[in-house]
């Protein structure tokens, strides 16, 4: 229904443009006729009438009846008036034969009557074709010592009758053909929009496998190509959404199941106090894991909602990194990790709280996925355009396939979901979102079993 309406509107507007432009063109041409062509036509017929009158005056032996009769036959309407007032018509008859008062006497007395030039300002169609005596040229002449008044105008009907028909058919066929072509071209233009509308409906119903067969080089073709890309991205997002729901369900269900299982064991009064204490510790651990996961989810949500609400200021990233290292010193010592850092003064423009979360997540990842007694190196590098912060560790590392998905939410390299290393799978996704908000970039260089290097580049002040 929408497409039909758009088709009708487009066709109607195009046809109306044709009609309006035709009317405007007609009025412009009418003005041109009244200002220019009518004067030229009057002058041309006046010269012809004067030549005829001069020829008749200079050849008194010719018969005026034969002479003007012959001219009337070849395409002119003529009125000849002698000094006694007798009127003789030659050629086709005039539709109206009255003249303005006094014109006949003035012409007889030597004045030229410019009836064509003085004809009332009507449309050039009626003005040019008006078969009236007032729309003629009147000139005086003498023949055999008698005064005559000659009124003449072209016989348009005789001269252009076939042309009238031809031009009429041309105009009619042009209008009909134009309307037909407008309807065809409108359908050609609207068809891709109809397909896009149907594809949009399919996407709204959850079908993202849309392939539009619109191969055009214009804006509609580009729109179709971008629409296809959008549907592909939506399909990928939908897949990630389903995977996200699956991962959340599993990651929340697993600790809940553990807590429930150990609560059931605690209900058994036969258990010794050491066993009960162990169960309680495990339940605390699982509760902490749930708490950490919800905090990470809230942080990720906060990062994405801050796109237009960032508290931007000048941030000392060297000072932030030192604070983060100090904050997690106990965790570093507990795992026996050797940490080294080179942190010269460096400042960037950004949201201080988000950047602090960025360094915190990078450091906790480096600790979490490191080997016992491993090493972590942190350094700040300055280039012409940005500040680079590099975290290197000697941890478990990643292979190429894992690097491709490492920033996906809830993705963990341990596909078997063994919890030898605890994590929510959200840390690197949060890191990527924060860096994106600050118009920076992150690069990962890693080898399986040998460690990883994460390089964060942020624009300089």
């Amino acid at each position: 229904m929408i497409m039909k309406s758009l088709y009708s509107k487009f066709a109607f507007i195009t046809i109306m443009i044709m009609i309006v432009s035709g009317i405007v063109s007609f009025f412009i041409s009418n003005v041109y006729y009244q200002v220019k062509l009518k004067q030229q036509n009057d002058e041309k017929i006046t010269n012809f009438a004067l030549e005829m009158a001069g020829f008749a005056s200079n050849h008194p032996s010719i018969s005026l009846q034969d002479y003007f009769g012959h001219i009337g036959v070849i395409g002119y309407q003529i009125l000849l008036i002698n000094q006694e007032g007798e009127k003789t018509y030659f050629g086709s008859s005039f539709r109206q034969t009255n003249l303005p008062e006094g014109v006949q006497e003035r012409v007889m007395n030597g004045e030229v009557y410019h009836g064509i030039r003085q004809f009332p300002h009507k449309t050039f169609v009626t003005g040019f074709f008006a078969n009236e005596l007032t729309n003629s040229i009147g000139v005086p002449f003498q023949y055999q010592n008698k005064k005559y008044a000659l009124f003449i105008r072209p016989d348009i009907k005789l001269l252009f009758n076939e042309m009238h028909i031809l031009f009429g058919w041309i105009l009619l066929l042009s209008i009909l053909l134009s309307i037909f072509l407008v309807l065809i071209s409108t359908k050609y233009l609207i068809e891709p929009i109809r397909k896009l509308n149907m594809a949009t409906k399919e996407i709204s119903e959850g079908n993202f496998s849309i392939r539009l067969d619109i191969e055009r080089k214009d804006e509609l073709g580009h729109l179709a190509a971008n629409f296809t890309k959008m549907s592909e991205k939506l399909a990928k997002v939908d897949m990630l959404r389903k995977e996200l729901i699956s991962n959340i369900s599993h990651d929340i269900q697993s600790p809940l199941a553990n807590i429930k299982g150990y609560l059931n064991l605690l209900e058994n009064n036969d258990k010794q106090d050491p066993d009960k204490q162990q169960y309680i510790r495990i339940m605390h651990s699982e509760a902490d894991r749930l708490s950490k996961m919800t905090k990470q989810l809230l942080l990720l949500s906060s990062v994405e909602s801050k796109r237009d609400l960032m508290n931007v200021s000048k941030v000392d990233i060297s000072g932030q990194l030192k604070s983060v290292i100090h904050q997690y010193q106990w965790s570093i010592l507990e795992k026996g990790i050797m940490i080294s850092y080179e942190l010269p003064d460096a400042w960037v423009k950004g949201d201080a709280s988000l950047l602090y979360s960025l360094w915190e997540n990078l450091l906790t990842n480096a600790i979490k996925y490191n080997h016992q007694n491993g090493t972590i190196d942190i350094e700040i590098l300055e280039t012409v355009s940005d500040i680079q912060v590099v975290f290197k560790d000697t941890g478990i590392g990643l292979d190429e396939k894992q690097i491709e998905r490492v920033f996906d939410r809830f993705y963990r390299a341990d596909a078997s979901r063994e919890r030898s290393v605890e994590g929510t799978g959200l840390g690197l996704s949060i890191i990527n979102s924060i860096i994106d908000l600050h118009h920076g970039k992150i690069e990962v260089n890693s080898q399986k079993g040998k460690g990883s290097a994460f390089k964060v580049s942020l624009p300089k002040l």
Side-chain angles (χ1 to χ4, degrees):
M1 186 66 182
I2 294 175
M3 290 301 102
K4 287 183 179 179
S5 175
L6 182 60
Y7 176 84
S8 301
K9 288 179 180 178
F10 192 89
F12 175 76
I13 290 172
T14 305
I15 293 171
M16 287 303 298
I17 288 172
M18 291 169 56
I19 293 173
V20 171
S21 61
I23 293 172
V24 171
S25 299
F26 178 81
F27 278 107
I28 291 174
S29 63
N30 178 50
V31 171
Y32 180 70
Y33 170 77
Q34 298 292 345
V35 173
K36 186 88 173 175
L37 293 183
K38 192 160 73 167
Q39 317 303 321
Q40 293 178 352
N41 191 36
D42 182 279
E43 182 180 353
K44 181 176 66 175
I45 298 174
T46 299
N47 291 334
F48 181 66
L50 290 172
E51 287 180 6
M52 289 174 58
F55 183 84
S57 298
N58 295 328
H59 296 80
S61 60
I62 66 170
S63 169
L64 291 182
Q65 296 290 330
D66 294 340
Y67 177 56
F68 290 118
H70 176 71
I71 294 174
V73 169
I74 64 175
Y76 286 88
Q77 296 172 275
I78 299 171
L79 169 61
L80 183 64
I81 306 175
N82 62 22
Q83 61 187 17
E84 286 81 20
E86 296 177 353
K87 298 179 180 180
T88 306
Y89 293 93
F90 302 92
S92 299
S93 60
F94 291 95
R95 186 173 63 86
Q96 292 182 3
T97 59
N98 58 305
L99 284 168
E101 186 177 351
V103 169
Q104 180 178 326
E105 289 77 12
R106 291 199 300 271
V107 173
M108 194 73 69
N109 292 325
E111 186 178 325
V112 176
Y113 170 64
H114 294 280
I116 294 177
R117 186 174 63 194
Q118 297 167 6
F119 195 73
H121 284 263
K122 300 180 181 179
T123 61
F124 74 88
V125 174
T126 57
F128 184 71
F129 294 99
N131 182 17
E132 302 174 17
L133 188 56
T134 53
N135 190 23
S136 65
I137 299 296
V139 296
F141 73 98
Q142 289 188 354
Y143 175 76
Q144 296 179 354
N145 296 321
K146 290 184 178 181
K147 291 181 179 180
Y148 287 86
L150 172 66
F151 293 88
I152 184 172
R153 64 167 277 104
D155 186 355
I156 303 299
K157 184 176 181 181
L158 178 63
L159 294 175
F160 299 105
N161 188 52
E162 291 78 7
M163 296 300 292
H164 287 167
I165 298 173
L166 177 61
F167 286 140
W169 276 109
I170 290 174
L171 180 61
L172 178 62
L173 290 175
S174 297
I175 293 173
L176 294 176
L177 184 60
S178 297
I179 293 173
F180 176 74
L181 291 177
V182 164
L183 297 176
I184 296 298
S185 61
T186 301
K187 183 175 178 61
Y188 171 74
L189 290 172
I190 297 301
E191 183 63 19
I193 301 177
R194 186 189 66 80
K195 290 181 179 179
L196 284 168
N197 184 54
M198 295 299 296
T200 304
K201 185 178 179 181
E202 289 287 326
I203 286 180
S204 68
E205 294 175 354
N207 179 17
F208 301 110
S209 58
I210 303 296
R211 293 295 179 271
L212 293 170
D213 56 340
I214 301 175
E215 297 182 0
R216 297 168 56 148
K217 302 299 182 182
D218 56 10
E219 288 80 358
L220 286 174
H222 296 156
L223 176 62
N226 291 331
F227 189 93
T228 301
K229 291 178 183 177
M230 180 193 72
S231 66
E232 291 173 352
K233 289 182 179 179
L234 286 173
K236 184 177 180 181
V237 169
D238 186 58
M239 180 187 70
L240 293 174
R241 177 184 63 82
K242 292 175 180 177
E243 185 177 347
L244 175 64
I245 293 172
S246 174
N247 286 329
I248 290 176
S249 300
H250 183 281
D251 286 346
I252 291 178
Q253 188 65 32
S254 178
L256 286 176
N258 289 338
I259 291 172
K260 183 178 180 180
Y262 283 108
L263 282 173
N264 290 334
L265 291 174
L266 284 173
E267 289 178 352
N268 186 348
N269 294 326
D270 296 337
K271 297 295 181 183
Q272 301 296 321
D273 284 343
D275 293 331
K276 292 180 179 179
Q277 293 300 320
Q278 183 183 358
Y279 298 159
I280 291 171
R281 283 195 300 271
I282 292 173
M283 286 190 293
H284 274 298
S285 175
E286 294 297 277
D288 288 340
R289 187 147 67 93
L290 276 175
S291 176
K292 187 181 296 183
M293 186 186 305
T294 55
K295 285 179 181 178
Q296 292 282 66
L297 282 169
L298 287 171
L299 177 57
L300 184 60
S301 175
S302 173
V303 169
E304 293 187 344
S305 65
K306 266 196 166 188
R307 290 188 179 273
D308 299 319
L309 300 172
M310 288 177 62
N311 185 17
V312 178
S313 62
K314 186 178 179 182
V315 181
D316 176 14
I317 58 174
S318 176
Q320 282 193 335
L321 286 166
K322 290 173 184 176
S323 296
V324 170
I325 293 169
H326 180 73
Q327 178 182 347
Y328 286 91
Q329 191 68 43
W330 65 271
S331 184
I332 295 169
L333 293 174
E334 186 180 47
K335 207 166 182 178
I337 294 173
M338 177 71 69
I339 186 166
S340 62
Y341 50 87
E342 187 176 346
L343 306 174
D345 291 341
W347 300 78
V348 297
K349 192 175 182 181
D351 187 299
S353 62
L354 291 181
L355 289 174
Y356 193 90
S357 296
L358 169 63
W359 315 130
E360 190 177 18
N361 273 281
L362 282 169
L363 182 60
T364 54
N365 271 351
I367 296 170
K368 189 186 306 177
Y369 296 104
N370 215 326
H371 297 299
Q372 193 74 22
N373 301 319
T375 62
I376 297 175
D377 295 320
I378 306 173
E379 60 178 332
I380 295 178
L381 305 172
E382 185 174 351
T383 68
V384 175
S385 59
D386 54 28
I387 300 295
Q388 298 177 350
V389 181
V390 183
F391 282 74
K392 296 179 182 177
D393 63 63
T394 56
I396 60 176
L398 302 164
D399 59 31
E400 290 184 5
K401 290 184 178 179
Q402 291 168 341
I403 290 174
E404 290 177 3
R405 294 201 58 194
V406 74
F407 295 110
D408 291 349
R409 297 176 189 180
F410 285 100
Y411 176 76
R412 281 191 293 269
D414 55 332
S416 64
R417 296 186 181 274
E418 293 178 0
R419 291 298 186 264
S420 58
V421 179
E422 287 197 10
T424 63
L426 289 170
L428 287 175
S429 181
I430 293 170
I431 288 169
N432 194 44
S433 296
I434 293 173
I435 293 171
D436 182 57
L437 279 177
H438 289 81
H439 308 291
K441 62 180 181 179
I442 184 168
E443 299 175 33
V444 183
N445 187 8
S446 183
Q447 284 184 299
K448 192 73 173 177
K450 294 185 178 181
S452 304
F454 290 83
K455 181 169 72 175
V456 177
S457 301
L458 298 173
K460 292 175 68 174
L461 284 173

